[in-house]
Each structure stands twice: as C-alpha cells, then as structure tokens.
Amino acid sequence: TWFRDGNMEKYKDPSYGLLISIGKEKGDKLLDNLNRTHVDTYKEFMELKQWLISAKGTEHHIEIIGLDTCDELFPIFEAEVIRKYNVEEKPSKLCTSIKAAYGGYNRGVEETANMVKNYMADLDKAGFTLWAIAHTKYKNIKQKGDMTDGYMQLTSNLPANYEAILGDIFDMTLTGIIDREFDEEEIDIGNGKKNTKRYTTAAFRSLYFR
C-alpha cells in the first residue's frame, strides 16, 4: 500500500511504478491503481531486468520498482548459486545447502549477497528507483565482547549478511511499527474478585529510520 501510495503521490499514474511480487508473496491483488507482476525463478528475474532496462522509454515509462518481499527474493538467488556451484565446480557430491556451496565458510551466502547487490545495481544504473519490502521480527542483539544477554531489537527477519547489503544498497532503511494506545477496565469475576482487562483504543502506523 505504501509503495502504491508513494507512486501515485509522485506520478499520479500507476504505470510509472511496478510492484514485483516474488515467490509465495501474493498479497497485492485487492489494491487499485497498482501496476504489478510476479516472478518465481531466477530466470524470470533476469528476463524481467533485461526487459525493464532495454524497453525503458519505448515499451514502458516505469520509474519506481518495488520488490515484495526480500524474504522470498534471497532463496531464489540462493537456489541459483547452488545450481551454478554444482555445474561449474562439479563437486563429488552435489551441494543442496547454501551454507555448503563453494566450500562452506559462508561463501555461498556471500555469493548470493553479491548477486543480489549486482542485480539491484544494474537497475539503479539504468535510472530506476528501488524499493524493497521485508517482514520484521524481534532479534536478540549482542555486541562483540558484551558480557550481558544483549537486548531485543525489532528489525527485518533476514540473516545479518543479507540485511547488511540492503543497508549498503538503499538510501534509507525504515522499520514499520504499529504503536497502540491501551485503556484498562476492571471486570467483576464474582466472589468479590476483579480482573483487569486491557484493550486498544487507537493504533498508529509509524516508520522509524534504522
């Protein structure tokens, strides 16, 4: 919704934006004024990028591209890294895990991160503005050398390597939060006892800079 609203605010025309729903992410069908497409595979990603760049200004005038969501994007690129490794390196035993690709030690993850970074860099160089959407979760953050149990932080649900490259690529990283206001009410539960019930009276959607 935010992607759609941002595009309409700037261009007043849905055809200037393109929301790419990825993999199992398909929650945009009820939105009006939204130009959309869907990709499931790495091959489709590459074909779409080629068309976006080569047909810019002739077959389309798309300016803003939204990737929905990164949770679905990275596994598709991981699958391509594993495929490439099995074809190019010809290991004695076929690799099935991104952590085992290219000899392990996180090299498969690093290759995936670089491929995603290069993909987005190509679109950026072609003049597109990129948005990427990810889901959130609470993570326990513990700094190096910290002797405490650390602290909880609401951030993306992506692994640290992938979250870090998105911080490199994008001008802004924002975390969406729903802030709620509560009220309390004493409920008589019998035998002279009361129970306190909390219920929401208002909710505010906010975006915080990382």
Side-chain angles (χ1 to χ4, degrees), residues 167-196:
D168 293 340
I169 292 167
F170 292 99
D171 296 321
M172 293 182 289
T173 304
L174 303 163
T175 302
I177 293 177
I178 301 177
D179 292 313
R180 293 180 174 88
E181 290 184 356
F182 297 91
D183 206 347
E184 295 183 351
E185 182 180 1
E186 294 287 332
I187 306 294
D188 191 345
I189 59 174
N191 298 323
K193 296 181 180 179
K194 292 187 176 182
N195 197 4
T196 301

Side-chain angles (χ1 to χ4, degrees), residues 133-197:
I133 301 167
H135 291 110
T136 56
K137 69 179 290 186
Y138 279 101
K139 291 181 184 177
N140 186 61
I141 307 299
K142 190 171 182 180
Q143 304 294 340
K144 189 175 182 180
D146 189 352
M147 302 301 290
T148 71
D149 292 332
Y151 58 91
M152 298 302 292
Q153 181 181 30
L154 183 67
T155 181
S156 84
N157 64 347
L158 299 169
N161 300 64
Y162 297 157
E163 188 172 339
I165 70 150
L166 296 180
D168 293 340
I169 292 167
F170 292 99
D171 296 321
M172 293 182 289
T173 304
L174 303 163
T175 302
I177 293 177
I178 301 177
D179 292 313
R180 293 180 174 88
E181 290 184 356
F182 297 91
D183 206 347
E184 295 183 351
E185 182 180 1
E186 294 287 332
I187 306 294
D188 191 345
I189 59 174
N191 298 323
K193 296 181 180 179
K194 292 187 176 182
N195 197 4
T196 301
K197 295 284 187 179

Side-chain angles (χ1 to χ4, degrees), residues 71-155:
D71 324 22
E72 295 288 325
L73 179 149
F74 282 102
I76 290 173
F77 277 74
E78 285 181 345
E80 175 60 15
V81 168
I82 292 171
R83 187 198 68 80
K84 278 178 56 182
Y85 171 69
N86 286 331
V87 170
E88 295 171 0
E89 303 296 325
K90 297 181 176 61
S92 57
K93 183 179 179 181
L94 289 180
C95 170
T96 59
S97 166
I98 192 63
K99 291 184 178 179
Y102 293 97
Y105 300 102
N106 238 26
R107 291 186 187 125
V109 171
E110 291 171 0
E111 178 65 17
T112 303
N114 286 332
M115 284 175 61
V116 171
K117 198 169 185 177
N118 291 336
Y119 185 91
M120 294 186 182
D122 289 342
L123 291 171
D124 178 70
K125 289 174 184 175
F128 295 101
T129 298
L130 295 175
W131 294 39
I133 301 167
H135 291 110
T136 56
K137 69 179 290 186
Y138 279 101
K139 291 181 184 177
N140 186 61
I141 307 299
K142 190 171 182 180
Q143 304 294 340
K144 189 175 182 180
D146 189 352
M147 302 301 290
T148 71
D149 292 332
Y151 58 91
M152 298 302 292
Q153 181 181 30
L154 183 67
T155 181

Side-chain angles (χ1 to χ4, degrees), residues 20-25 38-39 45 67-69 72-73 76:
I20 305 171
S21 58
I22 305 166
K24 297 180 181 67
E25 190 68 38
H38 186 87
V39 295
F45 259 117
L67 299 162
D68 185 22
T69 65
E72 295 288 325
L73 179 149
I76 290 173

Side-chain angles (χ1 to χ4, degrees), residues 56-73:
K56 186 175 175 64
T58 55
E59 296 180 34
H60 70 80
H61 48 242
I62 293 166
E63 296 290 339
I64 303 176
I65 297 170
L67 299 162
D68 185 22
T69 65
C70 292
D71 324 22
E72 295 288 325
L73 179 149

